[in-house]
Amino acid sequence: MDMEVRWREILKILIKSKGPLTTEDIARKLKVSSRTIRNDLDKIQEFLVPFGVRVVKKPRTGVYIEGASEKKAELLDRISQSDSFYVEPYSQQEREKYIIWKLLQAEKNLTTQQLADELYVSKATIYKDLDYVEKWLARHGLKLVRKPNYGVEIAGSEENFRKAISDFLVNNGAVDELKELVQNPLIHPLDRRLNPDIFAQLV
């Protein structure tokens, strides 16, 4: 069995398990030695950090994946769909959409560190993503304000805010896709900014 395939299978087994498993349990399922599994687990650990989960090994208890249920579900989905173990937690396009949506519904500034933590990437990557976000906002008559030691926020008229939000919803599968993307229901900033008639048509 190819090493990357085995790593994905180990993760699938651990994520789907209802409790801790011993390395012997995993080894039997994959028809390899316990030593191989122990070595694999050490190597897998470093690649899990961006996904917000980690491998926990407890003596006389076993091995399990620690992390929020939604993070484990997301990881399982990604390793099931990919041919490679080395999967970016979010694509560039997903990050750009996420940042735009966060900014459109934010009531106060967002820091680049906050965005980097939420998307499991470096601040340098966020800076690059913001270049695209800035262009997208400009096309909608809005400005991305960047202030050192403060963060980023959108400046512009309420009319342009409403148009930008409406356009974003329409071009991204309306509410259903956005709920999945942001993992959060539509909240009060949008209630104020989005034209009620347009919103009613979308939902």
Side-chain angles (χ1 to χ4, degrees):
M1 180 183 290
D2 178 82
M3 182 175 66
E4 286 194 22
V5 173
R6 190 172 65 245
W7 287 4
R8 292 202 306 274
E9 290 304 312
I10 290 172
L11 285 173
K12 288 178 185 178
I13 290 170
L14 288 173
I15 293 171
K16 293 178 180 180
S17 176
K18 295 181 179 180
L21 296 173
T22 65
T23 53
E24 288 77 12
D25 292 331
I26 301 171
R28 279 195 296 271
K29 290 177 182 290
L30 299 181
K31 296 180 172 58
V32 295
S33 69
S34 297
R35 181 177 181 179
T36 295
I37 297 300
R38 287 194 295 272
N39 290 337
D40 285 344
L41 289 172
D42 290 337
K43 295 172 183 175
I44 287 172
Q45 183 74 279
E46 63 183 286
F47 295 106
L48 293 183
V49 175
F51 294 93
V53 300
R54 69 188 185 100
V55 174
V56 175
K57 294 178 283 186
K58 286 191 175 181
R60 296 185 295 277
T61 299
V63 182
Y64 61 93
I65 299 291
E66 182 179 74
S69 298
E70 60 269 23
K71 293 296 183 184
K72 289 189 281 189
E74 180 183 319
L75 175 60
L76 179 61
D77 181 59
R78 287 177 178 273
I79 60 177
S80 297
Q81 293 181 16
S82 174
D83 292 330
S84 173
F85 181 81
Y86 302 95
V87 183
E88 286 289 332
Y90 294 94
S91 69
Q92 180 179 348
Q93 186 178 47
E94 286 174 325
R95 292 196 309 270
E96 291 165 352
K97 287 182 179 181
Y98 184 93
I99 294 170
I100 290 171
W101 187 239
K102 289 283 287 189
L103 285 168
L104 285 173
Q105 66 173 330
E107 292 188 287
K108 60 181 182 179
N109 66 294
L110 301 175
T111 66
T112 52
Q113 186 62 61
Q114 176 186 347
L115 293 170
D117 290 343
E118 291 179 5
L119 293 168
Y120 305 106
V121 294
S122 67
K123 289 172 66 175
T125 297
I126 295 298
Y127 290 139
K128 292 179 182 178
D129 292 338
L130 286 172
D131 290 338
Y132 170 84
V133 172
E134 187 169 26
K135 293 175 183 177
W136 188 93
L137 292 171
R139 292 198 299 270
H140 293 81
L142 299 171
K143 181 180 180 181
L144 179 66
V145 179
R146 311 192 203 193
K147 295 181 181 179
N149 303 317
Y150 177 77
V152 293
E153 61 184 359
I154 299 175
S157 69
E158 286 300 306
E159 180 181 1
N160 285 341
F161 259 108
R162 288 194 295 270
K163 289 180 179 178
I165 292 169
S166 300
D167 182 64
F168 190 83
L169 286 168
V170 169
N171 287 294
N172 288 281
V175 177
D176 289 341
E177 182 177 336
L178 290 171
K179 283 183 178 178
E180 181 178 350
L181 176 65
V182 186
Q183 296 182 350
N184 194 26
L186 297 179
I187 56 177
H188 50 282
L190 297 188
D191 293 339
R192 293 198 301 272
R193 283 181 172 156
L194 186 58
N195 184 301
D197 295 332
I198 297 176
F199 184 75
Q201 293 174 15
L202 291 173
V203 297

